Amino acid sequence: LQKPGPQRAKAVLLALSDPTAKPIDHATTKAAAGAWPDAP
Amino acid sequence: MRYIEPHAHMVSRTTDDYLAMVTAGCQAVCEPAFWAGFDRHSVDGFYDYFCQLTEHEPKRAAKFGLPHFAWLCINPKEAEDLKLATDVIDLIPQFLDRPNVLGIGEIGLNKNSRNELTVFEKHVDLAARHDKLILIHTPHLEDKLKGTKLIVDSLKSDRRINPGRVIIDHVEEHTIELVLEAGFWAGLTLYPDSKCTAARAADMIELYGRERLWINSACDWGVSVPLAVPRAALEMRQREHAACAVDEMIYQNPIRFLSQSENFKLPG
């Protein structure tokens, strides 16, 4: 993530994203937290 | 400078905002239906909102010489009440023939729930049955990538949907490619605290080009900037993007997409 270059923002956003594929059962909140809870 | 504001929630803005936008060169404003900041509890509330978008707000904009267009839907933030969402979707057809209505939007996903996806697909079906354009909201932050993939997969599975008549809004660096590669239009939304800054928008334009791309402010009742589009144009000019390239991004491209609706007409 610390490498310079045009794909750095993309790499940061991917690292914070929910990588799962299935819809969740119910939305229990309307807000996003900023990072997927299980992000490294 | 001339520009189209293709996504702004003007019912939340002041007349000073209208005046500033027109002074900056705005030639038309397009207003998708939105979440009010609180959940509405009856279909009557949406009836009144759709009247506001199709009758009253165009008159307010006209006082500043600005053509006003609208998109209709129930927002994904209100999709967990399936009964209400279905009733609202059933209400929409009686408004589709109004002269400023462009299509169905901003539909999409927020937290990527099953009910949100169900309501999204009902909206897409409505748009397909009435041959209307579609404007799509993608989720925020950690939910954006997954939601964008779910949306793109859902649309690609519906043979009635022409990607060239769908704009997927609020793309960022990690979603823009998958939207454009699938043949959809993509929207860059400029917010001071989230989504995308003018500098990031200019970066993405430099990386991915200008084809099937527009810029919008999505200004609403929260922290947002009604002049975000002309400010992004200034960012492009400061980076020595040609004046014609800026005009393509902020004026010609929105017209190219929106003109697919017979209701989108600019005066004279």
mmCIF file of all heavy atoms in Angstrom, chain A residues 24 26-33, chain B residues 77 80 110-111 116 143:
data_model
loop_
_atom_site.group_PDB
_atom_site.id
_atom_site.type_symbol
_atom_site.label_atom_id
_atom_site.label_comp_id
_atom_site.label_asym_id
_atom_site.label_seq_id
_atom_site.Cartn_x
_atom_site.Cartn_y
_atom_site.Cartn_z
ATOM 1 N N ILE A 24 -26.311 -9.570 2.758
ATOM 2 C CA ILE A 24 -26.551 -9.855 4.168
ATOM 3 C C ILE A 24 -28.056 -10.034 4.381
ATOM 4 O O ILE A 24 -28.861 -9.623 3.549
ATOM 5 C CB ILE A 24 -25.994 -8.738 5.076
ATOM 6 C CG1 ILE A 24 -26.700 -7.400 4.797
ATOM 7 C CG2 ILE A 24 -24.492 -8.598 4.876
ATOM 8 C CD1 ILE A 24 -26.320 -6.293 5.766
ATOM 9 N N HIS A 26 -30.229 -8.773 6.717
ATOM 10 C CA HIS A 26 -30.964 -7.525 6.932
ATOM 11 C C HIS A 26 -29.978 -6.393 7.168
ATOM 12 O O HIS A 26 -28.909 -6.615 7.748
ATOM 13 C CB HIS A 26 -31.892 -7.617 8.144
ATOM 14 C CG HIS A 26 -32.999 -8.603 7.986
ATOM 15 N ND1 HIS A 26 -34.100 -8.355 7.197
ATOM 16 C CD2 HIS A 26 -33.157 -9.843 8.504
ATOM 17 C CE1 HIS A 26 -34.902 -9.413 7.236
ATOM 18 N NE2 HIS A 26 -34.358 -10.331 8.023
ATOM 19 N N ALA A 27 -30.354 -5.198 6.760
ATOM 20 C CA ALA A 27 -29.561 -4.019 7.110
ATOM 21 C C ALA A 27 -29.954 -3.597 8.527
ATOM 22 O O ALA A 27 -31.116 -3.296 8.787
ATOM 23 C CB ALA A 27 -29.826 -2.888 6.127
ATOM 24 N N THR A 28 -28.996 -3.588 9.441
ATOM 25 C CA THR A 28 -29.299 -3.202 10.826
ATOM 26 C C THR A 28 -28.915 -1.758 11.104
ATOM 27 O O THR A 28 -29.169 -1.229 12.177
ATOM 28 C CB THR A 28 -28.551 -4.119 11.805
ATOM 29 O OG1 THR A 28 -27.156 -4.063 11.493
ATOM 30 C CG2 THR A 28 -29.046 -5.552 11.692
ATOM 31 N N THR A 29 -28.266 -1.129 10.148
ATOM 32 C CA THR A 29 -27.912 0.283 10.244
ATOM 33 C C THR A 29 -27.921 0.861 8.842
ATOM 34 O O THR A 29 -27.891 0.107 7.868
ATOM 35 C CB THR A 29 -26.520 0.464 10.883
ATOM 36 O OG1 THR A 29 -26.170 1.847 10.869
ATOM 37 C CG2 THR A 29 -25.456 -0.294 10.089
ATOM 38 N N LYS A 30 -27.935 2.161 8.714
ATOM 39 C CA LYS A 30 -27.857 2.774 7.380
ATOM 40 C C LYS A 30 -26.439 3.243 7.066
ATOM 41 O O LYS A 30 -26.104 3.506 5.925
ATOM 42 C CB LYS A 30 -28.811 3.955 7.287
ATOM 43 C CG LYS A 30 -30.285 3.581 7.442
ATOM 44 C CD LYS A 30 -31.173 4.748 7.127
ATOM 45 C CE LYS A 30 -32.607 4.515 7.583
ATOM 46 N NZ LYS A 30 -33.239 3.335 6.990
ATOM 47 N N ALA A 31 -25.613 3.385 8.086
ATOM 48 C CA ALA A 31 -24.300 3.996 7.904
ATOM 49 C C ALA A 31 -23.216 2.965 7.596
ATOM 50 O O ALA A 31 -23.338 1.798 7.960
ATOM 51 C CB ALA A 31 -23.920 4.776 9.152
ATOM 52 N N ALA A 32 -22.162 3.415 6.944
ATOM 53 C CA ALA A 32 -20.971 2.592 6.738
ATOM 54 C C ALA A 32 -19.936 2.980 7.788
ATOM 55 O O ALA A 32 -19.939 4.100 8.293
ATOM 56 C CB ALA A 32 -20.414 2.812 5.339
ATOM 57 N N ALA A 33 -19.059 2.030 8.126
ATOM 58 C CA ALA A 33 -18.087 2.275 9.194
ATOM 59 C C ALA A 33 -16.775 2.839 8.669
ATOM 60 O O ALA A 33 -16.054 3.515 9.385
ATOM 61 C CB ALA A 33 -17.818 0.985 9.952
ATOM 62 N N LYS B 77 -32.058 2.989 1.205
ATOM 63 C CA LYS B 77 -32.051 3.114 2.673
ATOM 64 C C LYS B 77 -33.428 2.819 3.266
ATOM 65 O O LYS B 77 -33.554 2.594 4.464
ATOM 66 C CB LYS B 77 -31.608 4.531 3.082
ATOM 67 C CG LYS B 77 -30.111 4.791 2.933
ATOM 68 C CD LYS B 77 -29.731 6.120 3.583
ATOM 69 C CE LYS B 77 -28.235 6.342 3.586
ATOM 70 N NZ LYS B 77 -27.686 6.693 2.267
ATOM 71 N N GLU B 80 -35.853 -1.845 3.636
ATOM 72 C CA GLU B 80 -36.098 -2.958 4.558
ATOM 73 C C GLU B 80 -37.590 -3.160 4.823
ATOM 74 O O GLU B 80 -38.001 -4.246 5.207
ATOM 75 C CB GLU B 80 -35.339 -2.746 5.864
ATOM 76 C CG GLU B 80 -33.833 -2.962 5.763
ATOM 77 C CD GLU B 80 -33.447 -4.346 5.246
ATOM 78 O OE1 GLU B 80 -34.111 -5.346 5.582
ATOM 79 O OE2 GLU B 80 -32.475 -4.434 4.466
ATOM 80 N N ASN B 110 -27.460 -0.073 -0.358
ATOM 81 C CA ASN B 110 -26.816 0.717 0.695
ATOM 82 C C ASN B 110 -25.965 -0.166 1.594
ATOM 83 O O ASN B 110 -24.767 0.011 1.699
ATOM 84 C CB ASN B 110 -27.878 1.472 1.499
ATOM 85 C CG ASN B 110 -27.253 2.361 2.560
ATOM 86 O OD1 ASN B 110 -26.390 3.174 2.233
ATOM 87 N ND2 ASN B 110 -27.652 2.208 3.806
ATOM 88 N N LYS B 111 -26.597 -1.163 2.237
ATOM 89 C CA LYS B 111 -25.845 -2.105 3.083
ATOM 90 C C LYS B 111 -25.766 -3.492 2.441
ATOM 91 O O LYS B 111 -25.330 -4.439 3.072
ATOM 92 C CB LYS B 111 -26.481 -2.197 4.468
ATOM 93 C CG LYS B 111 -26.424 -0.908 5.280
ATOM 94 C CD LYS B 111 -24.999 -0.410 5.483
ATOM 95 C CE LYS B 111 -24.165 -1.341 6.364
ATOM 96 N NZ LYS B 111 -22.784 -0.806 6.533
ATOM 97 N N GLU B 116 -32.812 -5.015 0.088
ATOM 98 C CA GLU B 116 -32.344 -3.956 -0.822
ATOM 99 C C GLU B 116 -32.219 -4.494 -2.243
ATOM 100 O O GLU B 116 -32.609 -3.826 -3.209
ATOM 101 C CB GLU B 116 -30.991 -3.419 -0.352
ATOM 102 C CG GLU B 116 -31.038 -2.568 0.902
ATOM 103 C CD GLU B 116 -29.645 -2.200 1.398
ATOM 104 O OE1 GLU B 116 -28.668 -2.331 0.628
ATOM 105 O OE2 GLU B 116 -29.529 -1.789 2.560
ATOM 106 N N ASP B 143 -18.695 -0.994 1.928
ATOM 107 C CA ASP B 143 -19.781 -1.711 1.239
ATOM 108 C C ASP B 143 -19.813 -1.447 -0.265
ATOM 109 O O ASP B 143 -20.575 -2.085 -0.986
ATOM 110 C CB ASP B 143 -21.131 -1.294 1.845
ATOM 111 C CG ASP B 143 -21.221 -1.614 3.330
ATOM 112 O OD1 ASP B 143 -20.835 -2.731 3.714
ATOM 113 O OD2 ASP B 143 -21.657 -0.743 4.098
#
